[in-house]
Amino acid sequence: MALADRPLLGWNSWNCFLTAEERADFTGLTAEAILGCAQALVDSGMRDAGYEYVVLDDGWQADHRDSTGRLLAHPTRFPDGIAPLAEQIHALGLRFGLYAVPGSLTCAQQYDDYGGAPLGSLNHEELDAQTFAEWGVDFLKYDWCRADHNDGLTAIDAFTRMRRELDRIDRPVAYAISEYGRFEPWLWAPRIAHMWRTTDDLLPTWASLMRTLDLQADLAAYSRPGAWNDPDMLQVGNGALTDGENRAHFYLWAVLNAPLIAGNDLRTMTAGVRDLLCDPEVIAVNQDWGGRQGTRIGPAGAGEVWAKPMSDGGAAVVLLNRSDAPLEITATAEDLNLKTAPRTVREAATTETSSFEGRLRRLVAPHDATLLRLS
Ligand code: GAL
């Protein structure tokens, strides 16, 4: 199977170890912590559920390059360097990802006492790609950060430069780019990258989830196997998100065929969060390609219907209650525009199956959602 034929599944360090200003001191970001999360990915059953990549985000670098221009790992956070870490992650049956930047400075250099050495890959693309290959990197998150440190390169040129270098190394690397959806990446990124961010950072709040979701409504035409819209990494299990909010978030990202990159502390997650992240019904919906990613069916509002076609001719449907009060949400077969009339409905949460009588009707709790499979 080709790289990223299905939305990538994994875990990334950013959302739990640091969220910009809040925890800009990088406390907790160490080789030991990353390995602990990788081990938890295995022990929790997430690896076996399909989560494959462990991605080390910003903050892994030393504050300078070596005398030959090579990137170095941070001396106290990753004292043994990156290659041994990648090796240990590989030994767990996982793949390893790393963060870099197309400009001269990484994002962390805005809010950490890193200083101004060029830790970004601008004009170091060839050497950095070679270094990543030597270290055993399988996934590169390449993050725009600041336009004023890109030597006037356009985003498309900057991201293409690294694409060319990745093509020249002897290692398949999943390429995830991020310019926060500023330059309509869905129009050009499918030719360069396996996934591209469509928005600014997703925060662990209901307001941020709904704002980000709304920005996905018009993007269904642009993704396909090998090239995915990325509404940002999961915040499931983070902040003060409730069980219902976590559920709605996960179901929605699944029907969007979004890469599912968990961002919670896997070492301390609750059984509820683990069970949600491992739910085989939801992951199967996410990994299935029915010809188009999911989108909003019908009007935006307090109660919404999001649906994606499934390859079996059926559909996966999320009934979403955005409001603060319980709401009855309905959808008909016509709304879903299916080629063949579905006969059964299955609830993802309970796997209970009933016959489909032409209309879905569910009472959904506030800030919550129901995921249904029509076959
Ligand atoms: C942001 C990016 C985040 C994280 C952070 C690291 O630009 O959107 O996902 O990678 O940089 O500094």
Side-chain angles (χ1 to χ4, degrees), residues 59-82:
W60 63 266
Q61 315 87 334
D63 65 0
H64 63 282
R65 290 172 177 266
D66 78 5
S67 58
T68 64
R70 254 177 210 274
L71 283 165
L72 297 166
H74 191 280
T76 57
R77 297 170 200 156
F78 300 94
D80 300 330
I82 299 301

Side-chain angles (χ1 to χ4, degrees), residues 14 57-58 99 107-108 111 141 143 145 178 180 197 201 233:
W14 182 253
D57 207 287
D58 207 359
Y99 171 97
C107 285
Y111 43 69
K141 173 170 172 180
D143 183 34
C145 266
S178 166
Y180 325 110
R197 283 272 295 276
D201 290 15
M233 306 176 290

Side-chain angles (χ1 to χ4, degrees), residues 32-114:
E32 199 189 347
I34 298 299
L35 279 171
C37 285
Q39 187 65 52
L41 197 76
V42 176
D43 297 342
S44 63
M46 285 177 70
R47 179 192 64 185
D48 292 343
Y51 295 84
E52 196 178 11
Y53 290 89
V54 170
V55 183
L56 175 53
D57 207 287
D58 207 359
W60 63 266
Q61 315 87 334
D63 65 0
H64 63 282
R65 290 172 177 266
D66 78 5
S67 58
T68 64
R70 254 177 210 274
L71 283 165
L72 297 166
H74 191 280
T76 57
R77 297 170 200 156
F78 300 94
D80 300 330
I82 299 301
L85 177 66
E87 205 172 296
Q88 290 175 80
I89 286 169
H90 289 152
L92 292 172
L94 299 165
R95 293 181 199 271
F96 178 67
L98 204 58
Y99 171 97
V101 165
S104 57
L105 302 179
T106 86
C107 285
Q109 292 181 277
Q110 293 170 65
Y111 43 69
D112 194 67
D113 58 358
Y114 257 119

